[in-house]
Amino acid sequence: MAITQFLDRHQDAVQVALYAFIICSLWLMEICIASDIISVKKRWQHNKTNLLFIFTALPIQLLLTTIVLIILGWTNTHHWGLINYIPGHHNKWVYYISLFMLLDLCEYVYHVVMHKIDPLWKFHLVHHSDLHVDVSTTVREHPGETCVRTCCLMLWVFICGPTIGVLVLRQTFQSLFNILAHTEFRLPQRVNKIIGLIFITPNLHHVHHHYQLPHTDRNYGDVLSIWDRLFGTFGELEQEDIRFGIDTHMDKERTGKFVNILKIPFQKLERPQK
């Protein structure tokens, strides 16, 4: 009860602290282990550009998360949401697993929509325009998308009806998998085959960041890869064949400077070539 009350009051701070701890830890690991991939100077310049997006995203995230919690409180008080129609939902295991999967499916839908609807894609391609994917790519999100993403979270909470405990658990796993998926590290092929049956791995998410279709429209999954397998969007590609970026935005001047990146959604739309 005390833990629930603490999470309810300090959910924003808990998420930010956890996110910062994970991303800093993996960033240091990349520097120590994968330093041969990119020079320290280039790495710092690349990271610095991406990390600037924290200062545009955080105020929006914190402000809109307050509304998320208000909606969450209303749904819980009124026993609203799909979870209340799932047989056996009073059992904690059924409750947590069902909501986790529902919320993960919602994020899969969100990701697909961001790719398919032109005005939304213009914001999302800021993330895809990174020519070198590493842990810092995780925070490379245009403030416009931060707003859309958090508003969608409001909708998912309203539809599904999770408690604060479930939401924090789900957001924790989402943050962890999202950061891990963007690291330079890759799993051995055999290990990736096994884990990738259920979960999104760095190997699978790197395919999603390949610069050309159809691979850009593969592996939309957030935590679970089962939705991609179920809906026919699963794909694999050998690491040596992967080239990061998006084929309409391969100019380093355009995609490597913070101000230029912020302008991308307000420029003429260029769709990736099939």
Side-chain angles (χ1 to χ4, degrees):
M1 188 69 175
I3 295 176
T4 302
Q5 290 177 343
F6 178 82
L7 292 175
D8 199 3
R9 293 175 182 175
H10 306 287
Q11 199 248 7
D12 288 355
V14 170
Q15 289 295 311
V16 170
L18 181 65
Y19 197 82
F21 173 76
I22 295 172
I23 203 167
C24 288
S25 299
L26 289 171
W27 180 63
L28 289 172
M29 287 176 63
E30 281 187 339
I31 291 175
C32 295
I33 298 174
S35 58
D36 59 316
I37 297 177
I38 183 173
S39 71
V40 174
K41 184 178 179 180
K42 286 184 178 180
R43 180 185 295 278
W44 169 244
Q45 184 60 46
H46 173 256
N47 289 170
K48 184 175 67 173
T49 300
N50 285 345
L51 292 175
L52 285 173
F53 282 96
I54 293 176
F55 298 101
T56 62
L58 197 55
I60 298 172
Q61 182 87 37
L62 294 176
L63 176 63
L64 294 183
T65 299
T66 302
I67 303 175
V68 171
L69 295 176
I70 292 172
I71 296 172
L72 184 145
W74 186 91
T75 58
N76 288 180
T77 300
H78 294 82
H79 304 288
W80 180 273
L82 290 176
I83 187 60
N84 297 290
Y85 297 94
I86 294 178
H89 70 272
H90 293 294
N91 179 285
K92 283 189 175 181
W93 284 101
V94 174
Y95 185 84
Y96 273 77
I97 292 174
S98 297
L99 273 170
F100 190 95
M101 295 189 69
L102 279 172
L103 290 169
D104 199 70
L105 175 59
C106 287
E107 289 300 322
Y108 171 87
V109 171
Y110 161 80
H111 200 170
V112 173
V113 168
M114 292 300 290
H115 275 248
K116 300 302 181 182
I117 298 179
D118 286 353
L120 299 180
W121 168 247
K122 291 174 77 173
F123 286 105
H124 187 57
L125 72 81
V126 165
H127 178 69
H128 275 271
S129 66
D130 200 346
L131 302 181
H132 179 83
V133 172
D134 62 14
V135 68
S136 73
T137 308
T138 312
V139 298
R140 185 185 171 108
E141 180 182 81
H142 195 280
E145 181 173 1
T146 303
C147 184
V148 173
R149 176 175 54 78
T150 315
C151 286
C152 284
L153 180 58
M154 296 177 197
L155 179 62
W156 309 147
V157 168
F158 181 74
I159 292 173
C160 299
T163 61
I164 185 66
V166 174
L167 187 61
V168 170
L169 179 67
R170 158 67 199 171
Q171 295 294 90
T172 300
F173 271 90
Q174 182 185 25
S175 297
L176 177 61
F177 273 81
N178 197 16
I179 295 169
L180 284 172
H182 290 94
T183 60
E184 295 172 343
F185 310 125
R186 283 178 60 86
L187 297 175
Q189 189 172 2
R190 185 173 298 180
V191 176
N192 179 67
K193 285 286 185 184
I194 296 171
I195 297 177
L197 289 173
I198 300 175
F199 298 107
I200 289 292
T201 65
N203 307 43
L204 294 178
H205 195 68
H206 284 186
V207 175
H208 182 70
H209 275 273
H210 183 60
Y211 81 115
Q212 284 184 321
L213 289 171
H215 303 290
T216 310
D217 287 346
R218 295 287 183 267
N219 304 345
Y220 290 108
D222 207 25
V223 175
L224 303 174
S225 65
I226 57 176
W227 312 120
D228 287 294
R229 295 179 184 277
L230 183 63
F231 298 116
T233 55
F234 182 82
E236 294 179 291
L237 190 64
E238 294 296 329
Q239 176 64 22
E240 56 268 23
D241 296 326
I242 294 175
R243 182 181 177 190
F244 295 128
I246 202 76
D247 58 5
T248 58
H249 292 73
M250 300 300 286
D251 179 10
K252 291 182 180 180
E253 184 71 19
R254 190 178 185 186
T255 63
K257 294 186 177 181
F258 182 69
V259 175
N260 290 348
I261 299 169
L262 285 177
K263 294 177 182 177
I264 289 176
F266 308 105
Q267 296 167 348
K268 183 180 178 181
L269 177 64
E270 301 172 72
R271 273 292 188 179
Q273 300 298 310
K274 293 184 179 180

